[in-house]
Amino acid sequence: MLAALTGLGLSTAAGLNAYIPLLVVGVLANLTDRVRLPDGYAWLSHWGVLAIIAVLLAAEMVLDKVPAVDTVNDLIQTVVRPASGGVVFSATSAAAELDRSTWMTENPWASWLLGIVVALAVHALKTAARPVVNAGTAGAGAPVASVAEDTGALGMSLVAIFLPLLVIVLLALFALAAWWTIGKVRRYRAGRRRPPG
């Protein structure tokens, strides 16, 4: 159960920022015993790989704070964020321990799929909301939203690893925020379709 919550939390974080959960998992696997990477994932704790992830994170953090550029970046990240979600879900042994399921252990692709689906859903929400934030604030909201997303990704990653039971609470709060955001996006789009006067 705890491993599944860790995987869900990390893949949710990957939907907001692909590189933060990868970096957190890799650094913690390298420096602590808190994260033990399964066979085939040792590369994630290699300092060379972590340096590349850090450079990509720095670029993402800059690009995501610029209005209009953030929308293009989100399109590119449509492949990267779900892939990251699949990696972090699998790399934290969530699949092997998910409800002590023999089927999950024998079908490791399922952990990839779960991570991809969760990250893709979060990414889709972020991608839909950002243009609304930009239009509603004349672009001033882009850096604020980006900092909030990066902070959320870091917080969710750390909670997923150190306090996985809290992931349930954070996912519930995220679901409420998602419901509110979807309503805002729908109202914004309906208002744009409505003829003036």
Side-chain angles (χ1 to χ4, degrees), residues 1-2 7 23 85 106 109 111 116 123 125 130 142 157-158 163 190 193:
M1 175 70 173
L2 293 181
L23 202 57
E106 293 170 354
W109 59 267
S111 65
I116 288 168
H123 167 72
L125 180 66
R130 188 56 77 83
S157 297
L158 294 173
L163 300 165
R193 283 194 293 261

CSV table of all heavy atoms in Angstrom, one decimal, residues 1-2 7 23 85 106 109 111 116 123 125 130 142 157-158 163 190 193:
chain,number,residue,atom,x,y,z
A,1,MET,N,0.8,-1.2,0.0
A,1,MET,CA,0.0,0.0,0.0
A,1,MET,C,0.9,1.3,0.0
A,1,MET,O,0.6,2.2,-0.8
A,1,MET,CB,-0.9,0.0,1.2
A,1,MET,CG,-1.7,1.2,1.4
A,1,MET,SD,-3.0,1.4,0.1
A,1,MET,CE,-3.9,2.7,0.7
A,2,LEU,N,1.9,1.3,0.9
A,2,LEU,CA,2.7,2.5,1.0
A,2,LEU,C,3.5,2.7,-0.3
A,2,LEU,O,3.7,3.8,-0.8
A,2,LEU,CB,3.7,2.4,2.2
A,2,LEU,CG,3.0,2.5,3.5
A,2,LEU,CD1,4.1,2.4,4.6
A,2,LEU,CD2,2.2,3.7,3.7
A,7,GLY,N,4.4,5.6,-5.4
A,7,GLY,CA,4.4,5.7,-6.9
A,7,GLY,C,3.4,6.7,-7.4
A,7,GLY,O,3.6,7.4,-8.3
A,23,LEU,N,14.9,13.8,-10.2
A,23,LEU,CA,16.0,14.3,-9.4
A,23,LEU,C,16.0,13.9,-8.0
A,23,LEU,O,17.0,13.4,-7.4
A,23,LEU,CB,16.1,15.8,-9.6
A,23,LEU,CG,17.5,16.4,-9.4
A,23,LEU,CD1,18.5,15.9,-10.3
A,23,LEU,CD2,17.4,17.9,-9.6
A,85,GLY,N,6.7,10.0,-15.3
A,85,GLY,CA,5.8,9.3,-14.4
A,85,GLY,C,5.9,7.8,-14.4
A,85,GLY,O,5.9,7.2,-13.3
A,106,GLU,N,4.8,-9.8,-11.7
A,106,GLU,CA,5.0,-10.6,-13.0
A,106,GLU,C,4.8,-9.7,-14.2
A,106,GLU,O,5.1,-10.1,-15.3
A,106,GLU,CB,4.2,-11.8,-13.0
A,106,GLU,CG,4.6,-12.8,-11.9
A,106,GLU,CD,3.6,-14.0,-11.8
A,106,GLU,OE1,2.6,-14.0,-12.5
A,106,GLU,OE2,3.9,-14.9,-11.1
A,109,TRP,N,5.3,-4.0,-16.7
A,109,TRP,CA,4.8,-2.9,-17.6
A,109,TRP,C,3.6,-2.2,-17.0
A,109,TRP,O,3.3,-1.0,-17.3
A,109,TRP,CB,4.3,-3.5,-18.9
A,109,TRP,CG,3.3,-4.6,-18.8
A,109,TRP,CD1,3.5,-5.9,-18.7
A,109,TRP,CD2,1.9,-4.4,-18.8
A,109,TRP,NE1,2.3,-6.6,-18.6
A,109,TRP,CE2,1.3,-5.6,-18.6
A,109,TRP,CE3,1.0,-3.2,-18.8
A,109,TRP,CZ2,-0.1,-5.8,-18.5
A,109,TRP,CZ3,-0.3,-3.4,-18.7
A,109,TRP,CH2,-0.9,-4.7,-18.6
A,111,SER,N,3.2,-1.1,-14.0
A,111,SER,CA,3.6,0.1,-13.2
A,111,SER,C,3.9,1.2,-14.1
A,111,SER,O,3.6,2.4,-13.8
A,111,SER,CB,4.8,-0.3,-12.3
A,111,SER,OG,5.9,-0.6,-13.1
A,116,ILE,N,2.4,6.5,-16.2
A,116,ILE,CA,2.1,7.3,-17.4
A,116,ILE,C,0.7,7.9,-17.3
A,116,ILE,O,0.6,9.1,-17.6
A,116,ILE,CB,2.3,6.4,-18.7
A,116,ILE,CG1,3.8,6.1,-18.9
A,116,ILE,CG2,1.7,7.1,-19.9
A,116,ILE,CD1,4.1,5.0,-19.9
A,123,HIS,N,-0.7,16.4,-16.3
A,123,HIS,CA,-0.2,17.2,-17.3
A,123,HIS,C,-1.3,17.8,-18.2
A,123,HIS,O,-1.2,19.0,-18.5
A,123,HIS,CB,0.8,16.4,-18.2
A,123,HIS,CG,1.2,17.1,-19.5
A,123,HIS,ND1,2.0,18.2,-19.5
A,123,HIS,CD2,0.8,16.9,-20.7
A,123,HIS,CE1,2.1,18.6,-20.7
A,123,HIS,NE2,1.4,17.8,-21.5
A,125,LEU,N,-4.3,18.5,-17.3
A,125,LEU,CA,-5.0,19.6,-16.5
A,125,LEU,C,-4.1,20.9,-16.5
A,125,LEU,O,-4.6,22.0,-16.7
A,125,LEU,CB,-5.2,19.1,-15.1
A,125,LEU,CG,-5.9,20.1,-14.2
A,125,LEU,CD1,-7.3,20.4,-14.7
A,125,LEU,CD2,-5.9,19.6,-12.8
A,130,ARG,N,-3.1,26.5,-18.0
A,130,ARG,CA,-2.2,27.6,-18.1
A,130,ARG,C,-2.6,28.7,-19.1
A,130,ARG,O,-2.4,29.9,-18.8
A,130,ARG,CB,-0.8,27.0,-18.5
A,130,ARG,CG,0.3,28.0,-18.5
A,130,ARG,CD,0.5,28.7,-17.2
A,130,ARG,NE,1.1,27.8,-16.2
A,130,ARG,CZ,2.4,27.7,-16.1
A,130,ARG,NH1,3.3,28.3,-16.9
A,130,ARG,NH2,2.9,26.9,-15.2
A,142,ALA,N,1.7,33.6,-15.2
A,142,ALA,CA,2.6,32.5,-15.7
A,142,ALA,C,3.7,32.1,-14.7
A,142,ALA,O,3.8,31.0,-14.3
A,142,ALA,CB,3.1,32.7,-17.1
A,157,SER,N,6.8,15.1,-4.2
A,157,SER,CA,7.9,14.1,-4.3
A,157,SER,C,8.4,13.7,-2.9
A,157,SER,O,8.6,12.5,-2.6
A,157,SER,CB,9.0,14.6,-5.2
A,157,SER,OG,8.6,14.9,-6.5
A,158,LEU,N,8.6,14.7,-2.1
A,158,LEU,CA,9.2,14.5,-0.8
A,158,LEU,C,8.2,13.8,0.1
A,158,LEU,O,8.5,12.8,0.9
A,158,LEU,CB,9.7,15.8,-0.1
A,158,LEU,CG,10.9,16.4,-0.8
A,158,LEU,CD1,11.2,17.8,-0.2
A,158,LEU,CD2,12.1,15.5,-0.8
A,163,LEU,N,6.6,10.4,3.7
A,163,LEU,CA,5.3,10.3,4.4
A,163,LEU,C,4.2,9.9,3.4
A,163,LEU,O,3.2,10.6,3.2
A,163,LEU,CB,4.9,11.7,5.0
A,163,LEU,CG,5.8,12.3,6.0
A,163,LEU,CD1,5.5,13.7,6.3
A,163,LEU,CD2,5.8,11.5,7.3
A,190,ALA,N,-16.3,28.9,-22.7
A,190,ALA,CA,-17.7,29.2,-23.1
A,190,ALA,C,-17.8,30.7,-23.3
A,190,ALA,O,-18.5,31.2,-24.2
A,190,ALA,CB,-18.7,28.8,-22.0
A,193,ARG,N,-16.5,31.7,-26.7
A,193,ARG,CA,-17.4,31.3,-27.8
A,193,ARG,C,-18.6,32.2,-28.0
A,193,ARG,O,-19.2,32.2,-29.0
A,193,ARG,CB,-17.8,29.8,-27.7
A,193,ARG,CG,-16.6,28.9,-28.1
A,193,ARG,CD,-17.2,27.5,-28.2
A,193,ARG,NE,-17.6,26.9,-26.9
A,193,ARG,CZ,-16.9,26.1,-26.2
A,193,ARG,NH1,-15.7,25.7,-26.6
A,193,ARG,NH2,-17.4,25.7,-25.1
